[in-house]
Amino acid sequence: SYFMSTIALALYCGSYFFNNKKKYLILQLTGNVFLSLSYFFMGAYFTMVSVAIGIGRGLICYTYEKNDKKVPWYMIWGLCLINVLSYIIINYIILSGASSPWDVLYMFASCMYAMTFAMRNITLRRYVVLIPHLSAIFYNLLAKAPISSAISYGIEFIITVVAIVKFRIQEKHKSE
């Protein structure tokens, strides 16, 4: 689990330093595969399915981006609805009760990630993605997931801030 999440973290962090959305999405997609496996090995099935839905989200966004088109918002809302349905099915039908009341927080983060993936402006996306990063950190802390999960989202949060600063400095130097 730790090995898989470490690979995912490295891929996620690397993605924030690309201005090319296609490269960004490929790294994010690959990171989601490893993160989904990590949650599977931890037995966090709802979270695993949410990340797996994120793989589908990434493929959809990549396809639209590759064709230089914007992802329709109905697809993003549809992915959020799939996340909510997976929460109900996994926690109340399959497991006969919520594994963690904090899963709702991760569900919110997953929907926010879906919305940020649809953003074509990668600079704006770097700012907005800080919200689901924080939600994922709190989810992992409150759900008493291994501390390494919260730390990895914390590192991703910090790396995202570093990328924001890096690109702002580059923009400032270009304008001078």
Side-chain angles (χ1 to χ4, degrees):
S1 171
Y2 293 119
F3 179 70
M4 297 292 181
S5 64
T6 301
I7 293 171
L9 176 62
L11 291 164
Y12 291 147
C13 290
S15 73
Y16 293 108
F17 291 94
F18 283 99
N19 259 340
N20 178 310
K21 184 137 183 229
K22 291 176 199 166
K23 290 177 184 176
Y24 165 83
L25 286 170
I26 288 170
L27 287 173
Q28 286 281 316
L29 264 167
T30 309
N32 277 350
V33 170
F34 284 99
L35 189 62
S36 186
L37 289 170
S38 172
Y39 281 119
F40 171 77
F41 292 126
M42 287 189 325
Y45 301 114
F46 167 68
T47 314
M48 176 200 71
V49 170
S50 290
V51 175
I53 291 168
I55 294 169
R57 169 191 68 216
L59 288 170
I60 290 167
C61 291
Y62 180 78
T63 301
Y64 275 89
E65 190 65 34
K66 190 172 112 181
N67 295 318
D68 201 29
K69 293 183 179 178
K70 185 177 179 177
V71 178
W73 280 102
Y74 69 84
M75 292 192 97
I76 299 306
W77 288 110
L79 288 166
C80 289
L81 179 61
I82 290 169
N83 237 349
V84 171
L85 292 174
S86 74
Y87 172 77
I88 293 167
I89 291 167
I90 291 168
N91 286 326
Y92 293 102
I93 296 172
I94 296 174
L95 298 176
S96 301
S99 57
S100 168
W102 301 112
D103 283 349
V104 173
L105 191 55
Y106 197 81
M107 185 172 47
F108 168 77
S110 295
C111 287
M112 282 296 299
Y113 280 126
M115 290 176 196
T116 64
F117 263 63
M119 293 177 171
R120 298 210 65 203
N121 181 333
I122 199 156
T123 301
L124 177 61
R125 188 199 184 283
R126 284 188 195 102
Y127 286 99
V128 177
V129 80
L130 294 172
I131 297 167
H133 284 346
L134 285 173
S135 297
I137 291 167
F138 287 120
Y139 162 75
N140 280 285
L141 291 172
L142 296 169
K144 295 184 173 68
I147 192 68
S148 60
S149 297
I151 290 170
S152 67
Y153 278 106
I155 291 169
E156 189 175 357
F157 179 88
I158 291 167
I159 293 297
T160 305
V161 171
V162 169
I164 289 168
V165 171
K166 174 192 180 281
F167 285 108
R168 288 206 43 128
I169 290 170
Q170 280 182 347
E171 287 173 18
K172 185 178 177 183
H173 288 303
K174 283 182 184 177
S175 65
E176 291 177 354

